[in-house]
């Protein structure tokens, strides 16, 4: 649904037309002295002759002008023409547009089939589709491998696993070295005690 100037339109094209008419009405109101009944009558007749308005927005403006003229005492009612409603022409235009779109689509299809006499486009389409499927499968495979390899040691995280293992070995060696140093200190102290006892 498209809203223009207080009216709701179901067709986008009709709404665009109404918007143009609303802009036209605004322009006319700015540029014309609507207080002068003679000017209003000339404008009204000119708009009717040129069939400027066809949507509810434009027809509403014409109705305003008509009512203004009907309230003017010195303008005869016979001079004020009725507003023609062109529903049929609008429908006909829409049908013509639809027919033109259908004809263009049919011509495009015929051109496609004429160009595809040797099946070149069809072959290209099948080849492109095949490679798209292959690339899609490869991409899914890469994501699957990356997902499942995150839990086990592979080339991707092998270096980190080796570094962790060497760090734990280094810690174990340092602990053993400290144990050996403490034992060596104990042995040196025992030897000094024994020498001290023997020296007495």
């Amino acid at each position: 649904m498209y809203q223009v100037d207080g009216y709701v339109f179901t067709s986008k094209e009709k709404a665009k037309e109404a918007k143009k008419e609303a802009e036209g009405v605004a322009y006319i109101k700015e540029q014309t002295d609507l207080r002068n009944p003679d000017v209003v009558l000339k404008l009204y007749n000119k708009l009717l002759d040129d069939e400027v308005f066809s949507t509810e927005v434009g027809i509403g403006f014409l109705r305003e002008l008509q009512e203004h003229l009907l309230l003017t005492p010195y303008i005869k009612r016979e001079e004020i023409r009725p507003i023609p409603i062109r529903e049929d022409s609008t429908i006909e235009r829409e049908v013509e547009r639809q027919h033109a779109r259908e004809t263009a689509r049919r011509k495009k299809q015929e051109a496609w089939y004429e160009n595809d006499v040797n099946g070149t486009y069809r072959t290209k389409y099948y080849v492109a589709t095949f490679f798209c499927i292959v690339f899609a499968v490869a991409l899914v495979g890469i994501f699957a491998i990356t997902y499942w390899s995150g839990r086990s040691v592979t080339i991707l995280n092998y270096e980190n696993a080796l570094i962790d293992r060497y760090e734990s070995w280094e810690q174990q060696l340092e602990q053993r070295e400290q144990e050996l140093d403490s034992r060596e200190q104990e042995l040196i102290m025992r030897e000094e005690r024994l020498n001290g006892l023997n020296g007495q």
Side-chain angles (χ1 to χ4, degrees):
M1 300 288 234
Y2 305 93
Q3 188 171 344
V4 179
D5 207 32
Y7 295 95
V8 175
F9 297 92
T10 54
S11 161
K12 187 177 184 179
E13 288 150 7
K14 194 80 169 166
K16 274 186 180 177
E17 202 176 325
K19 189 174 180 185
K20 283 182 187 174
E21 289 187 10
E23 290 167 0
V25 167
Y27 179 78
I28 289 169
K29 284 182 177 179
E30 280 179 21
Q31 301 298 319
T32 310
D33 180 17
L34 297 177
R35 290 173 294 181
N36 184 339
D38 294 323
V39 171
V40 172
L41 183 61
K42 282 182 188 176
L43 173 67
Y44 178 76
N45 287 328
K46 178 79 171 146
L47 292 173
L48 289 180
D49 290 338
D50 294 346
E51 297 181 347
V52 175
F53 298 123
S54 62
T55 69
E56 287 76 359
V57 174
I59 305 274
F61 177 64
L62 287 173
R63 184 73 182 135
E64 281 178 35
L65 295 177
Q66 189 185 58
E67 286 174 358
H68 180 70
L69 292 169
L70 289 170
L71 293 173
T72 306
Y74 71 89
I75 293 178
K76 296 175 184 176
R77 285 190 170 260
E78 297 83 41
E79 292 178 30
I80 305 168
R81 292 161 38 197
I83 302 167
I85 305 296
R86 298 174 301 161
E87 287 181 36
D88 295 339
S89 63
T90 306
I91 293 167
E92 283 171 18
R93 264 187 296 174
E94 188 60 36
V95 169
E96 284 173 15
R97 282 188 200 138
Q98 185 68 26
H99 180 66
R101 280 194 292 260
E102 189 63 32
T103 306
R105 189 184 64 76
R106 202 175 304 118
K107 282 182 182 175
K108 197 174 180 181
Q109 253 183 350
E110 287 169 9
W112 167 268
Y113 287 124
E114 283 175 23
N115 289 335
D116 199 20
V117 172
N118 297 326
T120 53
Y121 291 115
R122 198 172 296 132
T123 305
K124 287 178 183 177
Y125 170 77
Y126 289 134
V127 169
T129 304
F130 171 76
F131 280 112
C132 284
I133 290 169
V134 168
F135 288 138
V137 168
L139 194 62
V140 169
I142 288 169
F143 280 121
I145 288 169
T146 305
Y147 175 76
W148 281 305
S149 67
R151 298 190 175 115
S152 62
V153 177
T154 61
I155 293 171
L156 298 174
N157 60 3
Y158 190 68
E159 185 181 353
N160 290 336
L162 279 176
I163 290 170
D164 291 344
R165 193 175 293 169
Y166 282 125
E167 283 179 355
S168 67
W169 286 347
E170 191 177 348
Q171 286 177 352
Q172 288 175 0
L173 285 173
E174 284 178 5
Q175 285 177 350
R176 287 183 182 169
E177 196 175 320
Q178 286 175 357
E179 288 174 11
L180 285 173
D181 285 345
S182 64
R183 283 185 185 172
E184 188 179 344
Q185 288 295 328
E186 283 179 27
L187 285 173
I188 290 172
M189 287 174 62
R190 280 186 189 171
E191 194 175 317
E192 286 178 357
R193 271 193 233 140
L194 283 174
N195 285 340
L197 289 173
N198 290 335
Q200 289 177 350

